[in-house]
Amino acid sequence: MSGRPAPRGRLVGVSTPEPKTCATCGRTIEWRKKWERSWDDVRYCSTACRRHKPGPTDEALERSITDLLASRAASSTICPSEAARAVGGEDWRDLMEPARRAARRLVAAGQVEITQGGRVVDPSTAKGPIRVRRAR
């Protein structure tokens, strides 16, 4: 024993299940004690995500991202705004956050990677401009 206290929120000697990915926003869902009995049923990270399940626009954004990447060189990246423009036309700005969510879901599926400054970043914590590329 190192004599150090256990990290806050963690039980010593108790194994926690692997984190999951939110079905709506693609962010990581960390295991919580309150979900101990229902962890297998947890699919959403928040009430807001539970209310806004992915629909046809979200699927169109995912398709747009994969189609844009397929039409470019293997090492090329795209901005989520390109997918938003392809799906939303004149009202593309309203689709920016849904496009980022679509990119995070594709990361969880292992199809793409999200980068900043040319380095792969955790999509759950990335802030600011991002680029999307095919998974390597």
Side-chain angles (χ1 to χ4, degrees):
M1 212 67 193
S2 67
R4 281 193 251 159
R8 210 171 137 176
R10 302 246 173 159
L11 300 174
V12 177
V14 176
S15 65
T16 59
E18 287 295 313
K20 294 182 175 186
T21 302
C22 178
T24 298
C25 69
R27 289 190 170 100
T28 303
I29 306 172
E30 296 289 336
W31 183 85
R32 296 179 187 166
K33 176 75 173 154
K34 71 179 186 177
W35 290 331
E36 186 173 33
R37 292 186 180 140
S38 62
W39 181 245
D40 292 337
D41 299 327
V42 173
R43 295 190 58 219
Y44 306 102
C45 66
S46 66
T47 304
C49 282
R50 189 176 306 108
R51 280 190 213 126
H52 176 78
K53 296 176 176 107
T57 302
D58 299 301
E59 293 168 8
L61 286 165
E62 288 179 23
R63 259 192 322 277
S64 179
I65 290 170
T66 56
D67 291 347
L68 285 166
L69 288 171
S71 68
R72 301 199 181 166
S75 61
S76 294
T77 64
I78 64 161
C79 179
S81 67
E82 294 177 59
R85 283 185 177 106
V87 173
E90 292 290 319
D91 299 324
W92 66 271
R93 283 186 174 82
D94 295 337
L95 293 178
M96 278 304 297
E97 184 53 35
R100 289 173 68 101
R101 285 194 301 256
R104 286 192 297 263
R105 285 192 302 272
L106 290 171
V107 167
Q111 296 180 25
V112 301
E113 296 173 333
I114 291 179
T115 64
Q116 284 183 320
R119 290 188 302 268
V120 176
V121 295
D122 179 6
S124 295
T125 58
K127 294 189 185 321
I130 61 171
R131 303 289 294 177
V132 182
R133 71 178 184 200
R134 288 185 219 157
R136 294 187 177 161

